[in-house]
Amino acid sequence: MKLPLVAIVGRPNVGKSTLFNRATRTRKAITSPESGVTRDRHVAEAECQGRRFLMMDTGGWVPNSADLFETAIREQVQFALEECDLVLYLVDVQTGPTDVDLDIANMLHKSSLPVMLVVNKVDGPKQEPEVASFYSLGLGDPYPVSAAGGSGFAEMLDVLAEQLPEMGKADELARPRPLVAVLGRPNVGKSSFVNAIAGKPLRVVTDVAGTTRDAADTVVSYYQQQLTLIDTAGLRRKSRVKEAVEFYTTVRTRRAIEECDVAIILTDAQDGVVVQDARLVQDAVDAGKGVILCINKWDLIEKDTKTADRLVRDLEDRYATLNFVPKLFVSCMEKQRVFKILELVLKIHEERQKRIATPELNRFLSDLMETTPPPAIKGRDMRLIYLTQPAVEPPLFVFWTRHPELVNDGYHRFLERKIREQYGFEGIPLRLAFRKRS
């Protein structure tokens, strides 16, 4: 299910990043008394009353002039109105309503989105009478909180959770599965890939990084099997505020990972696989999605018959995460092996739903305990007794043992490797859990 998205908007230095960190229980966003410290844009999952949702930090930019400041604020708010399901509008009790607060409020009035007006830095009874002044913004009851201290925060989240829709924007019930996210750094060829698969120029393609703004879906068929491609690029036009490109891309990439079944990570063969590419793979793995790594623009590389093999070995030496991920060398412009990607997507989607019967798993486990029993640790028998697979998408395997606390990372990796050798699961992260059994 597509998670609802909550956007925190407001002027710089009203406490958006502090509120984001508290709501998501992370320290992703840098906080500082200085205005405009937040440069990177953050999206993380939050939960309240059993409702899961994504929260987006839209921290302000350092303005160089009044015009740039106004542009930055408008770009952030406008994006929130286009993309999110609920706006959390944060203001500062210490300054009272400002002209910029009123300007943002006027834009929010024109949208049909639910808006929560939250007054921050209400650290005690002395500030509470000042909260009423924010009724002048015309956005309903202001909710007083202290993002730094925590007062009023739980109550505010409860109200927020009650207003969230059951599903995020773009109801996906009519979207054919598998849902396939096309991910990658700017200008690696995401839109070229979508165009090559569709057989027509559905997406604008240029040499300018971040050309695409809309995160549009494309439904395609491959051997009578329909699937939905989610193109996750940045901007249709060059933004006047440079950091906006990273902002849009971060938000849409995170949402695409959350909702997809399989993630295609496109990289540029001319640059090689960089840390950012590996991080995208890890994000998809952490979310339990199927993953394919595609090295694009392969036609532009001087190579011999062993170049691809050498690159694969180098990648797996540098990034352990990539060991179970299939790697394809493609050219989206030349349509070289692009349909092989779809063939692999359908295979991974099917494998991600595969469930191994419990009797079969325990025959496998019995043979494994005979041939390679686990070492005794601290004089205790770590032998595994029973194995089941209670879940799919991603597959979850539960082992029962007398001492689950003794299973270390090395033995965990050994078991995962043996399961893959026996049952496949190429391109699919596996979840392993260990339970105590007397």
Side-chain angles (χ1 to χ4, degrees), residues 305-374:
T305 56
K306 296 182 180 179
T307 303
D309 290 338
R310 285 196 299 268
L311 181 55
V312 168
R313 286 196 299 271
D314 178 59
L315 288 176
E316 294 183 351
D317 286 343
R318 284 190 293 145
Y319 304 113
T321 309
L322 301 181
N323 288 348
F324 71 90
V325 175
K327 303 155 193 75
L328 294 178
F329 298 88
V330 305
S331 170
C332 295
M333 291 300 291
E334 300 293 330
K335 295 189 178 181
Q336 182 183 12
R337 285 187 284 275
V338 291
F339 291 99
K340 177 70 175 176
I341 300 173
L342 293 191
E343 180 182 326
L344 196 51
V345 163
L346 296 177
K347 177 184 176 183
I348 287 175
H349 180 53
E350 184 177 339
E351 285 276 289
R352 193 165 170 260
Q353 302 172 77
K354 182 168 67 178
R355 191 187 298 270
I356 313 299
T358 299
E360 165 60 26
L361 285 175
N362 283 283
R363 283 192 292 271
F364 159 76
L365 183 63
S366 178
D367 292 343
L368 190 62
M369 292 300 97
E370 284 291 324
T371 56
T372 50

Side-chain angles (χ1 to χ4, degrees), residues 90-302:
L90 196 64
V91 292
D92 185 344
V93 73
Q94 295 177 359
T95 64
T98 68
D99 290 342
V100 177
D101 292 330
L102 183 60
D103 189 36
I104 298 173
N106 287 336
M107 283 186 278
L108 295 175
H109 280 300
K110 297 174 184 177
S111 80
S112 58
L113 288 170
V115 179
M116 277 194 67
L117 177 61
V118 178
V119 183
N120 193 24
K121 305 181 185 179
V122 183
D123 300 313
K126 290 184 179 180
Q127 288 89 19
E128 288 179 2
E130 305 300 323
V131 173
S133 64
F134 289 93
Y135 276 103
S136 63
L137 298 179
L139 292 171
D141 294 334
Y143 294 88
V145 303
S146 171
S151 64
F153 197 81
E155 293 82 355
M156 182 272 293
L157 276 186
D158 287 343
V159 176
L160 184 151
E162 290 171 1
Q163 295 188 51
L164 288 175
E166 289 298 319
M167 186 179 292
K169 278 189 174 180
D171 190 307
E172 63 192 52
L173 295 179
R175 302 161 82 194
R177 291 185 67 186
L179 299 176
V180 184
V182 185
L183 309 174
R185 291 175 286 118
N187 211 30
V188 296
K190 297 184 292 294
S191 294
S192 296
F193 169 73
V194 175
N195 287 345
I197 294 299
K200 53 186 175 181
L202 297 175
R203 315 297 287 160
V204 177
V205 180
T206 76
D207 292 331
V208 178
T211 301
T212 307
R213 178 172 183 180
D214 298 327
D217 288 352
T218 303
V219 178
V220 298
S221 294
Y222 183 71
Y223 284 94
Q224 298 183 332
Q225 168 69 55
Q226 284 193 319
L227 60 159
T228 304
L229 301 178
I230 310 168
D231 189 7
T232 59
L235 293 170
R236 181 181 296 123
R237 60 190 182 278
K238 187 177 180 181
S239 173
R240 288 169 293 176
V241 183
K242 184 178 179 181
E243 289 86 348
V245 175
E246 294 256 350
F247 177 34
Y248 297 135
T249 304
T250 298
V251 172
R252 289 191 168 127
T253 295
R254 180 58 190 259
R255 292 200 81 168
I257 289 174
E258 289 290 338
E259 64 185 283
C260 77
D261 300 301
V262 180
I264 296 172
I265 315 296
L266 279 170
T267 70
D268 189 329
Q270 299 171 103
D271 299 333
V273 177
V274 300
V275 171
Q276 190 175 347
D277 302 323
R279 190 176 296 123
L280 271 176
V281 172
Q282 187 62 58
D283 288 344
V285 168
D286 291 345
K289 311 301 182 176
V291 187
I292 304 170
L293 180 65
C294 297
I295 296 89
N296 190 26
K297 307 183 185 180
W298 192 238
D299 56 309
L300 303 180
I301 299 297
E302 292 186 13

Side-chain angles (χ1 to χ4, degrees), residues 9-17 32-38 41 58-63 68-70 72-73 76 90-92 95 98 100-101 104 121:
V9 303
R11 294 181 290 112
N13 208 32
V14 294
K16 296 185 295 296
S17 295
S32 168
E34 294 182 32
S35 172
V37 167
T38 301
R41 299 300 175 251
T58 65
W61 289 283
V62 177
L68 181 58
F69 173 62
E70 186 174 340
I73 291 293
Q76 290 191 41
L90 196 64
V91 292
D92 185 344
T95 64
T98 68
V100 177
D101 292 330
I104 298 173
K121 305 181 185 179

